[in-house]
Amino acid sequence: LLDPIPPAYFVTLVSDRWIQSEARVPVMLMNLVLPDRPVGTIELSQDRDLDLQKELEGVPGFFERLPTNGLSPAETTAFSAVWKSEENVLFASPEPSTVLPLLAMARSLAMNPSGKIVYVGSDQMDQVQRMVEDVLADLIPEGKSVGALTGDSQSDLKCLEKCSIIFASPIHWEQLSRRWKTRKNVLAVSLLIVDGLQWMSQDQAIEVILSRTRFMSAFLESSPQPRKVRIIALSCSVAPVRDLACWLGIPLAACFNFDIDARSCRLAIQIQGFTGVRPSIKVLHRAVSRAQAIIFVADRREAIETAAGLVALKTAEAIRNNLSTDHITESVGVALDGKVDSVEQFKSGRI
C-alpha cells in the first residue's frame, strides 16, 4: 500500500483470450484499519560532548569508582532516560551494558535510600555483585549490605531484610515475591533490574516477575503515599519492541532497541542452510580460512565427525602445499552443546 493510503484502488481484469473483455473493480480503502507500524531500531547517539564526570557530580565519589571513564555510543543514547528520569527503560543492545545498571542503582539509592533494589539475572551475577559492592559501597545506607538469594525461604527473608541490593535468579525472586502483599520488605522494592529479557520465552519466571512487579507498582501508586516500582529491562536486540513497551509500561521514548550491527566490533553474519558434515566444512573453510572459529553442533557424534572432517581437510591441504601436519590436530576445537569440548580421538586442543 502506498503512503499515504489513497481512498481507493482500481483493479483492472483483462482477458488474454477475448478481445475487449475487460472489467474494472474499485476497492474502497477509506475505512481500512491498519495495524500499528512496527517500531524499528534507533540510531546510535553521536554526542561526543557528554561529560560523564560532570553529569554524576551530584553523587560524590561515584564517577571515580566506575569501571570505565566513558560510555559506549549505545549507553550514551540511553543515558538521559536512565539517569534523569523515573520512567521504565528497555535497553536492547547486541553488547551488554555494565554501566547503565550501576547508574540506575546509584540514582535509586540517592533518591530513596530506604528503598530496595533487586537485580534479576542468570549469567555472571557473581561478577556483577562484586562490581556493585566496589562501586556503590559509599551509597549503601549504614547497616545495610549487598546479598544474594539462595532459594531457602528463611535465609532469603533475612537477606531481604538486611540488604539494600539483592541479587537473585528469576526462580528465586519469583518464589520470594509471591506473597508480596504480606511482606513489607518486598513492597519496599523501588527498582527492579532484569538482565536477559531475551530468555523470557525459555524461562517463564521472568514473565511472572515482570507482570507481578507491574501489578505491585499499580497497587503502590494508589496507596496513601503513592510511589512506583521502576523497571530497567536489559536484553539483546529484539523485534516486538512495541509489545514489550506496552506490557512493561515503557514509553517509546525510553525504548532503546539497537540494530545487531550497533557494536564496537562489527560482526559479519552469514546464514546458509546445508545438511551433512562436508558442506559445513567447505562453508567454514571458505568463510574463515585464516581466522579462528567455533562450530556449534547438535551432539557428540556430529562433533567427532566435524572434527575428523576438519583434520582431514587441513591435512590434505598441508600435503598439497608440502607443509608439516604436526600442528593440525592440535588446532581444531569443537563447541559441543554450548560448552568447549575437546575431541580426544583426534587430539584436538581446547580453545
Side-chain angles (χ1 to χ4, degrees), residues 50-298:
L50 178 64
D51 190 348
L52 186 60
Q53 184 175 6
K54 183 178 180 180
E55 294 286 349
L56 303 180
E57 62 184 4
V59 185
F62 177 52
F63 175 78
E64 288 74 12
R65 292 177 175 269
L66 283 177
T68 177
N69 294 330
L71 300 177
S72 66
E75 293 171 336
T76 302
T77 307
F79 173 78
S80 296
V82 174
W83 183 252
K84 298 181 180 180
S85 74
E86 284 293 331
E87 295 290 349
N88 298 341
V89 177
L90 171 63
F91 182 79
S93 172
E95 292 184 327
S97 173
T98 57
V99 178
L100 292 183
L102 294 174
L103 293 174
M105 291 181 185
R107 175 182 172 82
S108 179
L109 291 173
M111 300 293 292
N112 184 14
S114 61
K116 296 184 181 297
I117 300 171
V118 178
Y119 184 99
V120 176
S122 55
D123 298 330
Q124 300 179 346
M125 278 204 304
D126 294 338
Q127 300 178 15
V128 178
Q129 182 176 348
R130 288 194 297 267
M131 182 174 58
V132 168
E133 292 173 348
D134 294 338
V135 176
L136 302 178
D138 296 339
L139 298 179
I140 298 176
E142 185 177 357
K144 299 293 183 178
S145 60
V146 178
L149 302 185
T150 61
D152 180 70
S153 59
Q154 296 299 324
S155 61
D156 287 348
L157 289 174
K158 293 180 181 178
C159 175
L160 185 62
E161 182 179 0
K162 68 179 182 180
C163 295
S164 288
I165 303 177
I166 300 98
F167 289 83
S169 64
I171 187 62
H172 289 164
W173 181 246
E174 191 277 326
Q175 292 174 354
L176 192 64
S177 62
R178 287 177 184 174
R179 299 169 56 187
W180 59 272
K181 285 188 177 182
T182 59
R183 291 174 174 171
K184 63 177 182 179
N185 288 321
V186 177
L187 289 173
V189 173
S190 59
L191 174 64
L192 174 68
I193 301 177
V194 177
D195 191 358
L197 189 64
Q198 71 274 9
W199 303 117
M200 184 172 56
S201 60
Q202 301 179 15
D203 193 344
Q204 191 177 11
I206 298 177
E207 180 180 358
V208 175
I209 287 170
L210 291 170
S211 298
R212 184 177 296 155
T213 303
R214 289 276 291 142
F215 188 77
M216 186 171 69
S217 180
F219 175 80
L220 292 174
E221 288 177 358
S222 61
S223 62
Q225 297 179 348
R227 63 178 184 86
K228 65 175 292 185
V229 182
R230 190 185 191 192
I231 298 176
I232 304 293
L234 307 176
S235 171
C236 295
S237 300
V238 293
V241 179
R242 188 185 297 273
D243 297 338
L244 286 175
C246 181
W247 173 49
L248 297 176
I250 302 175
L252 291 180
C255 288
F256 302 94
N257 186 34
F258 299 96
D259 192 79
I260 58 175
D261 290 333
R263 56 175 73 233
S264 55
C265 181
R266 289 300 179 92
L267 180 66
I269 299 176
Q270 178 180 354
I271 301 176
Q272 181 173 348
F274 48 77
T275 58
V277 177
R278 292 189 61 83
S280 63
I281 294 175
K282 291 181 179 179
V283 170
L284 177 67
H285 186 62
R286 290 197 304 267
V288 288
S289 59
R290 295 183 178 273
Q292 296 180 353
I294 300 177
I295 306 175
F296 293 90
V297 296

Side-chain angles (χ1 to χ4, degrees), residues 288-332:
V288 288
S289 59
R290 295 183 178 273
Q292 296 180 353
I294 300 177
I295 306 175
F296 293 90
V297 296
D299 52 31
R300 185 173 296 275
R301 177 182 177 182
E302 187 175 350
I304 296 176
E305 292 177 356
T306 305
L310 287 172
V311 170
L313 180 65
K314 287 297 183 181
T315 302
E317 181 180 334
I319 293 175
R320 286 196 304 268
N321 298 329
N322 295 324
L323 300 176
S324 173
T325 61
D326 295 338
H327 68 287
I328 293 178
T329 56
E330 299 177 358
S331 62
V332 180

